[in-house]
Amino acid sequence: MMKSVRVVVVGAGVIGFSTAVCISEALPFCAVTLMADKFSPDTTSDGAAGILFAAQFPDIPLQRQRRWFKDSFDHLLAIAQSQCAPEAGVMLSSGWQIFKEIPAVETPFWSEFVIGFRPMTDVELKRFPDHKFGQAFTTLKCECSTYLPWLEKRFRKAGGQVEQRKVNSLQELSNSFDIIVNCSGLGSKILVGDTQVYPVRGQVLKVEAPWVQHFIRDGDGKTYIYPGIRSVTIGGTRQEGDWRLQVDGGDTKGILERCSRLEPSLNKAKILSEWVGLRPSRKNPRVEREVVQLQGRSVPVVHNYGHGGWGVTLAWGTALDTLGLVKQTLHEMAPQAKL
Ligand code: FAD
């Protein structure tokens, strides 16, 4: 097939690859190139626990956030229930979110999309004496160090091209591409000069504890235990505006203490690795399009970044929205695009 429209996706994290797959599979007449300076295993996405879960963003219509969550959940659930599950790194995960004080919202907006959501019983809560309230449910865990290479294969199969390159400005791309899709996460601070993007530092440990089979998350988002396919991810920290990528010994100690209080057997677990990532945070993620003047040309730019601590959860849903924005752009470009 003649590929008549050249699209570049900047970013090789879970947002970039999800978006690139959605565009290349839905629009076979587009020649899609994914460009990034860092690829798996060196992106933020690679170290994320990858549990599907979300907080509510203040200024995005709730209907849209619900759709992002549901589209992502359904997409990953289908993978978890297929024979692709191990090679894609996606699994079902059951457990508890617990609260020291009864939360303002007892039933979050995503509760109907996860499986079997219900308040915890007194018997279940008994082992958490510092906590008054809890939610039990089954969600998904998507391990990006496995999922990203799987998405890359899927992208290449759909005809996508991959290029390792740092993009210093969008102008560099304006002559070679008709549409620019920006999925550069924290990189958007410089690449598109967005002063609203900031890091929220997160440190986690991977430990060997195959006997731990349920996730436990404190509702404050700072302490969590997420069993995965080969190890258990325990965390964490949420340090706003902190750019340090080095492991902090004090954080490690704090994580081990807090997690062992919830799951005492973790005192017996062997530490396999320690990792720090910077969540690409923003008051609201930016999933929108604009037209930018680059070297005298009007170039459509579609943005999809700023997912903070929920990028794995919202990746497929926001990728589908981004695909919709690319389609709108193509309609406006017609007749050159010959849709
Ligand atoms: P990234 O993975 O950072 O990818 C950005 C890409 O853009 C990279 O490829 C980078 O090289 C490229 N790039 C940037 N600038 C340029 C440039 N100028 N030129 C070329 N390429 C560029 N989310 C969940 O949903 N569930 C969780 O359980 C979860 N746990 C987490 C735990 C921790 C400790 C941390 C730190 C994060 C966690 N997250 C979780 C959040 C999740 O990791 C992020 O929301 C997600 O990874 C963001 O994906 P991204 O693709 O936008 O960014």
Side-chain angles (χ1 to χ4, degrees):
M1 180 183 296
M2 180 64 183
K3 295 203 182 257
S4 54
V5 182
R6 299 160 305 167
V7 178
V8 63
V9 176
V10 181
V14 70
I15 303 300
F17 263 116
S18 302
T19 304
V21 167
C22 284
I23 296 171
S24 58
E25 289 184 354
L27 306 173
F29 54 87
C30 287
V32 186
T33 303
L34 182 142
M35 208 177 266
D37 58 346
K38 288 193 180 147
F39 282 81
S40 182
D42 300 319
T43 72
T44 313
S45 305
D46 280 279
I51 200 95
L52 267 73
F53 220 94
Q56 199 172 316
F57 296 106
D59 307 316
I60 307 248
L62 192 55
Q63 264 323 92
R64 194 176 189 202
Q65 299 189 55
R66 287 163 57 83
R67 199 176 65 234
W68 287 349
F69 193 102
K70 183 177 176 0
D71 286 347
S72 296
F73 197 89
D74 291 351
H75 157 75
L76 290 171
L77 181 63
I79 295 173
Q81 292 174 342
S82 76
Q83 61 178 5
C84 296
E87 70 205 61
V90 185
M91 60 182 263
L92 283 160
S93 181
S94 301
W96 306 286
Q97 173 162 237
I98 52 177
F99 297 83
K100 293 199 180 81
E101 300 300 332
I102 297 185
V105 182
E106 288 185 28
T107 311
F109 74 89
W110 43 263
S111 60
E112 64 184 285
F113 306 130
V114 298
I115 299 166
F117 184 94
R118 59 172 174 79
M120 282 166 73
T121 63
D122 291 345
V123 173
E124 283 172 304
L125 268 171
K126 212 169 160 193
R127 65 178 280 201
F128 306 112
D130 297 338
H131 295 77
K132 283 196 189 133
F133 175 80
Q135 302 152 339
F137 54 95
T138 299
T139 184
L140 290 154
K141 188 171 189 289
C142 171
E143 303 193 343
C144 283
S145 52
T146 309
Y147 183 60
L148 291 180
W150 184 80
L151 278 183
E152 178 169 347
K153 242 187 247 162
R154 197 166 147 175
F155 174 60
R156 287 181 188 272
K157 203 166 155 211
Q161 306 271 325
V162 170
E163 192 178 326
Q164 199 259 320
R165 179 176 136 190
K166 182 167 169 96
V167 181
N168 294 302
S169 83
L170 294 186
Q171 305 214 342
E172 285 177 11
L173 306 173
S174 61
N175 285 331
S176 316
F177 297 98
D178 304 302
I179 302 178
I180 298 172
V181 181
N182 170 30
C183 303
S184 62
L186 205 50
S188 291
K189 192 172 177 60
I190 291 174
L191 189 58
V192 298
D194 186 340
T195 52
Q196 291 185 51
V197 202
Y198 61 95
V200 176
R201 181 180 179 276
Q203 183 168 321
V204 285
L205 314 182
K206 285 206 169 134
V207 301
E208 194 177 283
W211 60 87
V212 176
Q213 301 271 324
H214 287 81
F215 73 78
I216 305 171
R217 178 184 200 265
D218 190 304
D220 70 9
K222 287 187 185 144
T223 305
Y224 46 79
I225 298 163
Y226 294 134
I229 295 172
R230 274 173 292 273
S231 62
V232 181
T233 302
I234 67 171
T237 66
R238 303 186 82 83
Q239 294 137 319
E240 293 199 5
D242 187 339
W243 289 87
R244 284 176 308 140
L245 278 167
Q246 316 80 299
V247 168
D248 179 308
D251 286 339
T252 301
K253 199 164 160 260
I255 289 167
L256 286 169
E257 270 168 24
R258 284 180 276 125
C259 291
S260 303
R261 225 172 288 146
L262 298 178
E263 178 63 67
S265 67
L266 287 174
N267 275 320
K268 303 276 182 217
K270 180 172 152 202
I271 298 176
L272 301 172
S273 59
E274 300 175 72
W275 181 82
V276 173
L278 305 178
R279 301 173 180 91
S281 302
R282 206 171 179 273
K283 189 173 173 204
N284 302 287
R286 185 172 184 208
V287 187
E288 63 185 29
R289 65 193 183 114
E290 63 176 341
V291 174
V292 180
Q293 292 301 317
L294 299 171
Q295 297 178 319
R297 273 187 61 216
S298 300
V299 181
V301 178
V302 183
H303 300 284
N304 184 10
Y305 66 87
H307 300 67
W310 315 112
V312 184
T313 306
L314 302 175
W316 200 257
T318 55
L320 288 174
D321 260 23
T322 306
L323 166 63
L325 295 171
V326 168
K327 283 184 181 168
Q328 283 176 22
T329 304
L330 287 167
H331 280 290
E332 286 171 13
M333 284 163 65
Q336 305 97 296
K338 292 263 180 339
L339 294 183

